[in-house]
Amino acid sequence: MKHTLLLLSIAASSMLMSACGGANTSADEHASEQDATNTSAESSSWTIDTENSSIRWEGGTSGAMVYSHFGTINFKEGALSATGDKISGGSFVVDLSTINPQDNGYSEEHPASDLVGHLGSPDFFDIANHPTASFEVISSEGNDVNGSLTVRGITNPETIHVETMEMNPDGTMTAKGKLVFDRQKYNVKWAHYVQDVILSDNITLDFSIVAKKKG
């Protein structure tokens, strides 16, 4: 009887060790597959095509008289890196002297050039002393690209939400994204001269990027 119990105990132990060994093997195989997936994600480098890329800006008021101005501004230069289909690094520079209003809120008495001049003044972006703004990628998580935005020499963390991104057969990458930042954090602090009109703190940037693959 003791001999039988001993054999049964040995058999049960062997089965348990086999089951545990199988579980470990499965976990190891899963880890290996995950490592292989991570390793297989291709790294690539891209140069922003400044002529075919653009930024749409919009800012306005939030008060009794609600209106907004919008227009475009141009990239000066930029390069991005990607891992798989996600942006993982890079930076770009924006030329603030290219601010171009496109809304209809102007007249012969108050032309769009007046707004351009005001936006370039120390009330807003102080372009004479800070002719560019820039964004440097630090990390990405899902569809969000985290980085550092620099305006008027002041740098703060900001996030670009990537709405679409495609790697095309012709060796180009196209991407669209949005960034909303608080102008007060960058010393863009002009207050509207009409008391019942409050200039909104938020400025919205919509990016439309075309980039060419390096190499």
Side-chain angles (χ1 to χ4, degrees), residues 33 56 115 205:
E33 290 173 0
R56 182 187 185 276
L115 176 64
L205 302 177

Side-chain angles (χ1 to χ4, degrees), residues 57-60 67-72 99-119:
W57 55 266
E58 183 169 1
Y67 68 90
S68 66
H69 290 296
F70 61 85
T72 61
I99 293 174
N100 179 29
Q102 293 183 329
D103 59 280
N104 296 319
Y106 312 101
S107 64
E108 289 186 8
E109 184 180 356
H110 299 289
S113 58
D114 284 356
L115 176 64
V116 173
H118 196 191
L119 291 176

Side-chain angles (χ1 to χ4, degrees), residues 144-159:
D144 290 334
V145 175
N146 305 310
S148 297
L149 177 66
T150 300
V151 177
R152 289 187 64 147
I154 300 170
T155 302
N156 287 294
E158 301 288 354
T159 298

Side-chain angles (χ1 to χ4, degrees), residues 32-65:
S32 297
E33 290 173 0
Q34 187 65 42
D35 289 342
T37 299
N38 293 337
T39 302
S40 64
E42 180 184 358
S43 295
S44 54
S45 299
W46 306 79
T47 300
I48 293 178
D49 182 347
T50 57
E51 291 186 3
N52 293 304
S53 300
S54 64
I55 303 169
R56 182 187 185 276
W57 55 266
E58 183 169 1
T61 63
S62 54
M65 298 170 57

Side-chain angles (χ1 to χ4, degrees), residues 90-215:
S91 63
F92 58 78
V93 178
V94 175
D95 182 356
L96 295 178
S97 69
T98 64
I99 293 174
N100 179 29
Q102 293 183 329
D103 59 280
N104 296 319
Y106 312 101
S107 64
E108 289 186 8
E109 184 180 356
H110 299 289
S113 58
D114 284 356
L115 176 64
V116 173
H118 196 191
L119 291 176
S121 76
D123 284 343
F124 285 93
F125 296 103
D126 192 15
I127 292 176
N129 294 306
H130 305 284
T132 63
S134 63
F135 185 87
E136 181 177 0
V137 177
I138 294 176
S139 65
S140 63
E141 183 177 355
N143 292 328
D144 290 334
V145 175
N146 305 310
S148 297
L149 177 66
T150 300
V151 177
R152 289 187 64 147
I154 300 170
T155 302
N156 287 294
E158 301 288 354
T159 298
I160 297 175
H161 179 71
V162 178
E163 297 167 340
T164 63
M165 179 174 170
E166 295 182 0
M167 309 290 191
N168 305 307
D170 63 356
T172 63
M173 173 178 70
T174 53
K176 295 190 178 204
K178 182 186 295 290
L179 186 157
V180 180
F181 70 93
D182 180 351
R183 64 187 178 85
Q184 297 283 350
K185 296 193 301 183
Y186 300 90
N187 203 30
V188 182
K189 293 186 175 181
W190 184 73
H192 203 288
Y193 61 90
V194 179
Q195 188 173 359
D196 62 350
V197 177
I198 301 172
L199 196 63
S200 174
D201 288 339
N202 287 339
I203 295 176
T204 301
L205 302 177
D206 289 299
F207 298 92
S208 181
I209 295 174
V210 176
K212 297 178 180 179
K213 193 172 185 179
K214 294 181 181 179

